[in-house]
């Protein structure tokens, strides 16, 4: 009996520092309330600073996650992969969408990091991406109308009489109230998202329905991308020409054949390019910009 | 009417606008950008007449009441409008209504500048991909915060300084000329079209070709129903229902096997 114990203990000793598997991924650190605050603050602070056309607010989201991801992924390759997956297109509203998704994403990343370290089947990258993409649109819709559409104007309306009388508090108070209110409930959403995400992550890991859930989130994600594409991409033709006193307006003709054809052509052309050439985002960006600049300088677009 | 500020006053106001438009002060700069109030206060402070500045600003605020930016795109830039209109009103002893007349066209021009910032960011933020691939957190943080901030400062400070120092009448003229020009048309087209890139990237990342019909379904729903102005939450509910149905039917099929 004592020998058995000794062997088991010995085995463990050998396994942890070296040998066995060629590469062992170290255990992640525990995520604390302070880490959630750090990530929430990082996202809140940088929210609109690195706004770009191709990724929208993704760099800010990634910025917020950096300290948490560093605690989760002690392995350089996994850390790099995590950074890269959070730099992809992401657009949502700061508190309702961003707060909640910061929490949810951290919990999913935590579950993935733990599983990787224990050599179990981890939550896939697809799962994390699809969750974010599926939820960002609806949460943005809620957040925009509440934060910038309602909360902001309530504070402005309350304090505007001060401004009309020439008092600087009429400017300072709406700003401070809005800043404090949104920061506070945004952090609440982060914590809520984290605990919701943790229970969801547990369910995913134990339920054995992973493939179905990933597919379901993929459907939701692609569906929301379709909606965003329809609402966001503004490409139309300004080309008009006259043949024997009859004016042809290309956009009007397109509208009668297939409304929304041009934005769809742009997306599908890029999709096709990425399929053929691999995910060369910068090149796609340059080609698309060149095409848009050239076509619009001649008022074709 | 000849309008000037001292160099230092013009520079300080330009710096304030750059701070707001770079968004370096955090998410709450939203109120600074959407609402003219804080900018009016700063201009009043810099020019030494907070009281009159606030009265003019309150009038401008009423014009911009209820502005919402779906997806971050404002039809005008109240902060920039105020930074020009309030000094002009103070120096020219104009009525608040007169200030509004200046603020509105300047605000329109400002919204193009804010869009132009996204455009510059799109190219200038490339180093972050390199740092991410290396797992270099410090480089990543630097490129995400410092580069776009510098771009905003380089973009907004000189323009605002010139605009303030050389006066509003010039500005109104420039706005009128540029508004229908080819340059703005090209910028609008590029701005409207580049969103296709991020969406195509996500489609690639989600990856499953057999799920693509849901993209087309949603795309044509949103095109067909555009006039109904359906709220994003309703679309998301549709999406969730389709997702649940898909999983239900596909898992049923595999159970039978």
């Amino acid at each position: 009996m004592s020998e058995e114990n000794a062997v088991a203990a010995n085995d463990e000793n050998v396994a942890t520092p070296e040998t066995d598997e060629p590469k062992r991924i170290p255990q992640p650190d525990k995520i604390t309330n302070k880490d959630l605050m750090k990530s929430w603050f990082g996202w809140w602070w940088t929210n609109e600073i690195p706004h770009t056309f191709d990724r929208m607010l993704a760099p800010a989201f990634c910025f917020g996650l950096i300290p948490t991801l560093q605690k989760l992924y002690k392995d350089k390759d996994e850390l790099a992969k995590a950074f890269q997956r959070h730099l992809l297109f992401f657009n949502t509203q700061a508190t309702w969408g961003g707060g909640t998704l910061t929490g949810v994403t951290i919990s999913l990343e935590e579950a993935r990091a733990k599983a990787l370290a224990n050599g179990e089947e981890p939550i896939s990258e697809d799962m994390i991406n699809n969750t974010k993409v599926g939820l960002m649109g609806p949460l943005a819709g809620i957040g925009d109308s509440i934060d910038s559409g309602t909360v902001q104007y309530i504070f402005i309306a309350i304090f505007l009489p001060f401004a009309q009388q020439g008092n600087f508090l009429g400017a300072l108070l709406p700003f401070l109230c809005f800043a404090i209110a949104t920061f506070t409930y945004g952090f609440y959403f982060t914590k809520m998202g984290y605990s919701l995400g943790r229970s969801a992550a547990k369910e995913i890991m134990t339920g054995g329905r992973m493939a179905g859930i990933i597919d379901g989130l993929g459907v939701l994600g692609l569906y929301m991308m379709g909606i965003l594409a329809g609402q966001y991409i503004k490409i139309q033709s300004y080309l008009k020409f006259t043949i024997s006193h009859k004016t042809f307006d290309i956009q009007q003709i397109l509208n009668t054949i297939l409304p929304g054809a041009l934005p769809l052509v742009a997306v599908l052309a890029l999709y096709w390019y990425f399929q053929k050439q691999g995910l060369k985002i910068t090149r796609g960006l340059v080609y698309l910009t060149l095409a848009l600049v050239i076509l619009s300088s001649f008022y074709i677009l | 009417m000849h309008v000037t500020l001292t160099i230092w006053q013009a520079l300080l106001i330009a710096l304030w606008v750059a701070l707001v438009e770079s968004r370096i002060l955090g998410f709450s700069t939203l109120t600074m950008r959407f609402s003219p109030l804080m900018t009016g206060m700063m201009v009043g402070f810099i020019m030494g007449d907070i009281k009159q500045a606030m009265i003019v600003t309150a009038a401008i605020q009423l014009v911009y009441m209820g502005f919402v930016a779906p997806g971050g795109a404002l039809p005008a830039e109240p902060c920039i409008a105020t930074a020009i209109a309030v000094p002009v009103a103070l120096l020219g002893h104009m009525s608040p209504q007169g200030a509004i007349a200046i603020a509105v066209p300047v605000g329109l021009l400002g919204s193009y500048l804010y869009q132009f910032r996204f455009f510059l960011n799109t190219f200038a933020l490339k180093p972050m991909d390199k740092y991410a691939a290396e797992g270099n957190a410090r480089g990543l943080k630097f490129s995400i915060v410092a580069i776009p901030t510098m771009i905003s400062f380089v973009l907004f400070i000189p323009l605002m300084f010139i605009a303030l120092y050389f006066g509003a009448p010039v500005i109104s003229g420039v706005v009128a000329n540029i508004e229908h020009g080819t340059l703005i048309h090209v910028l609008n087209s590029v701005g409207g079209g580049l969103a296709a890139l991020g969406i195509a990237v996500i489609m690639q990342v989600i990856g499953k070709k057999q799920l693509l019909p849901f993209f087309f379904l949603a795309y044509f729903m949103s095109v067909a129903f555009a006039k109904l102005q359906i709220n994003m939450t309703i679309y998301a509910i549709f999406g969730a229902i389709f997702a649940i149905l898909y999983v239900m039917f596909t898992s049923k099929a595999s159970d039978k096997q």
Side-chain angles (χ1 to χ4, degrees), chain A residues 167-179:
Chain A
N167 188 335
F168 73 96
L169 288 177
L172 205 56
L173 289 177
F175 165 68
L176 285 179
C177 289
F178 182 78

Side-chain angles (χ1 to χ4, degrees), chain A residues 116-129:
Chain A
L116 279 173
N118 296 332
E120 295 159 4
E121 174 80 19
I123 287 184
S124 66
E125 298 194 82
D126 289 347
M127 180 78 186
I128 297 170
N129 286 332

Side-chain angles (χ1 to χ4, degrees), chain A:
Chain A
M1 185 189 120
S2 63
E3 253 190 38
E4 254 179 42
N5 266 346
V7 168
N10 203 17
D11 256 338
E12 266 177 34
N13 277 342
V14 177
T16 7
E18 49 192 309
T19 67
D20 267 47
E21 295 146 62
K23 189 174 159 196
R24 241 192 127 80
I25 293 175
Q27 282 288 340
D29 291 343
K30 205 173 149 37
I31 295 299
T32 62
N33 222 14
K34 205 176 141 197
D35 297 320
L36 293 179
M37 175 54 102
K38 261 192 209 162
S39 282
W40 158 243
F41 177 77
W43 153 259
W44 178 88
W45 172 48
T46 60
N47 183 244
E48 284 281 346
I49 298 172
H51 198 142
T52 73
F53 278 123
D54 58 338
R55 316 174 193 229
M56 295 287 164
L57 307 177
F61 191 74
C62 184
F63 183 93
L65 291 180
I66 288 173
T68 315
L69 293 176
Q70 281 177 309
K71 285 187 84 171
L72 291 176
Y73 297 108
K74 305 289 181 185
D75 176 69
K76 199 97 181 167
D77 290 342
E78 284 298 330
L79 184 65
K81 270 160 74 184
F83 286 163
Q84 283 171 312
R85 72 175 155 262
H86 293 298
L87 282 178
L88 295 172
F89 183 92
F90 180 73
N91 195 24
T92 193
Q93 189 269 342
T95 56
W96 295 74
T100 311
L101 284 177
T102 298
V104 169
T105 307
I106 290 173
S107 65
L108 292 179
E109 290 287 2
E110 188 182 26
R112 177 178 159 84
K114 273 187 187 156
L116 279 173
N118 296 332
E120 295 159 4
E121 174 80 19
I123 287 184
S124 66
E125 298 194 82
D126 289 347
M127 180 78 186
I128 297 170
N129 286 332
N130 293 1
T131 308
K132 271 167 59 185
V133 173
L135 292 176
M136 66 191 193
L139 290 172
I142 298 169
D144 273 340
S145 58
I146 296 182
D147 274 12
S148 44
T150 311
V151 174
Q152 177 187 209
Y153 287 107
I154 291 176
F155 289 130
I156 290 176
I158 293 173
F159 298 111
L160 194 64
F162 286 103
Q164 281 166 329
Q165 290 154 22
N167 188 335
F168 73 96
L169 288 177
L172 205 56
L173 289 177
F175 165 68
L176 285 179
C177 289
F178 182 78
I180 293 167
T182 51
F183 187 85
T184 312
Y185 62 66
F187 182 52
Y188 172 77
F189 293 140
T190 307
K191 288 203 286 189
M192 198 182 70
Y194 180 68
S195 53
L196 277 177
R198 261 168 66 108
S199 49
K202 222 180 251 169
E203 175 120 332
I204 296 158
M205 302 304 284
T206 55
R209 286 156 48 199
M210 194 120 147
I213 293 171
I214 294 177
D215 273 354
L217 286 169
V219 169
L220 182 60
L222 280 173
Y223 181 87
M224 292 316 292
M225 278 300 129
I227 299 291
L228 281 183
Q231 296 187 344
Y232 243 106
I233 308 172
K234 302 262 179 290
I235 302 179
Q236 55 169 319
S237 179
Y238 289 89
L239 198 60
K240 280 178 194 145
F241 51 86
T242 314
I243 301 173
S244 55
H245 305 296
K246 195 168 161 33
T247 306
F248 291 89
D249 182 330
I250 297 297
Q251 187 58 43
Q252 270 181 19
I253 296 169
L254 279 174
N255 286 347
T256 58
I257 305 169
L258 182 62
L262 290 178
L264 192 61
V265 166
V267 175
L268 292 182
L270 282 165
Y271 180 77
W272 176 80
Y273 175 75
F274 291 144
Q275 286 276 320
K276 291 270 170 228
Q277 303 289 322
L279 202 54
K280 290 178 180 159
I281 302 178
T282 314
R283 286 212 197 156
L285 171 67
V286 171
Y287 292 149
L288 178 64
T289 311
L290 278 178
L292 289 167
V293 167
I294 293 168
L295 292 173
S296 61
S297 349
F298 294 105
Y299 287 87
I300 297 169
L301 294 182

Side-chain angles (χ1 to χ4, degrees), chain B residues 51-71:
Chain B
K51 186 167 195 278
Q52 191 56 31
M54 287 312 299
I55 292 170
V56 174
T57 308
I60 298 174
Q61 173 65 69
L62 289 173
V63 177
Y64 292 119
M65 207 72 181
F67 256 44
V68 183

